[in-house]
Amino acid sequence: VTSSSRITATMRHSTSRVTKESSSSAPKCVLDRSIVNKNTVGNMTNIGLSVFAPLCGRNRGVFVLDPPDGRTYGCIEFPEKFAQIAGVTDTRGGVSIKDSNAIVDQFRVNNVSAAGTVKLLDKYIQLVYGSTADVDKLPYGCDVGGIGVLECGGDGGAAATTSLLVDGGPVRAVTLAGVFVPAPWVTGGRTLSIEEVSEFYTARDFEEMKALGLNTV
């Protein structure tokens, strides 16, 4: 998700949004629908960077199905019926999602709806996370470009949520480049003084941050 202003942001999902699980349930990494949903996915210009880069880089993007079918898949080869596995039934002409790139490609040519694309991304995130060895020991195992969230407590019991925020919600943070640490590549080659910061980052920038769902600077 990219702002039209000069905000140089790295949206990172805090590990504070982790619910304590019971011993009988395993954590699950899913797409954060409050960030990526059918209304926002079309505005994303960096799906490959946000989703495929971290997933394909982790465990080479290798995954198995649940339940398994005896085969191993990855970024460059998806199951033949991946769309159906993800619960997508509105593809045009029975189009096949043969690999990770096909998710974006088929969406761009309207062969898969926005809602269907979200389901495909969600399923891919779930499968890679669930297929990664010792993922429960990796502090950033569910770090998918800032758009993944770790869900626990799937046994139907009440899950206790801890968060840095008083409302218990996720932290969605942005860095204001050049405010406390010089960032000449952003600020036109100069170092901003405290007085100049208020002119460089205006009220409009903060309004756009809020519109994007950011809640922490």
Side-chain angles (χ1 to χ4, degrees), residues 11 13 17 31-37 40 147 149 170 172 211-213:
M11 294 183 66
H13 213 87
R17 188 180 182 183
L31 187 68
D32 189 339
R33 300 295 182 92
S34 67
I35 298 176
V36 182
N37 51 62
T40 64
I147 58 176
V149 60
R172 299 192 182 95
L212 288 172

Side-chain angles (χ1 to χ4, degrees), residues 93-172:
V95 64
S96 175
I97 307 299
K98 61 181 181 179
D99 54 33
S100 57
N101 287 328
I103 297 177
V104 178
D105 294 341
Q106 297 301 336
F107 172 56
R108 286 175 176 169
V109 296
N110 296 318
N111 284 336
V112 179
S113 67
T117 300
V118 170
K119 288 182 179 180
L120 293 170
L121 293 173
D122 187 32
K123 177 57 69 173
Y124 185 38
I125 290 173
Q126 290 184 43
L127 289 173
V128 173
Y129 180 85
S131 303
T132 301
D134 299 321
V135 71
D136 57 326
K137 300 178 182 179
L138 302 175
Y140 301 105
C142 189
D143 181 14
V144 188
I147 58 176
V149 60
L150 192 61
E151 288 187 349
C152 309
D155 61 345
T161 303
T162 58
S163 173
L164 296 175
L165 304 181
V166 294
D167 63 0
V171 172
R172 299 192 182 95

Side-chain angles (χ1 to χ4, degrees), residues 11-24:
M11 294 183 66
R12 53 186 183 273
H13 213 87
S14 169
T15 55
S16 64
R17 188 180 182 183
V18 177
T19 54
K20 297 177 182 178
E21 60 173 322
S22 71
S23 58
S24 62

Side-chain angles (χ1 to χ4, degrees), residues 43 47 50-51 70 80 82 106 111 113 117 127 132 149 152 178 186 189 195 202 204 207 212:
N43 297 325
I47 295 179
S50 297
V51 180
E80 182 179 354
F82 186 74
Q106 297 301 336
N111 284 336
S113 67
T117 300
L127 289 173
T132 301
V149 60
C152 309
V186 175
E195 292 74 20
T202 66
R204 180 180 177 183
E207 290 170 357
L212 288 172

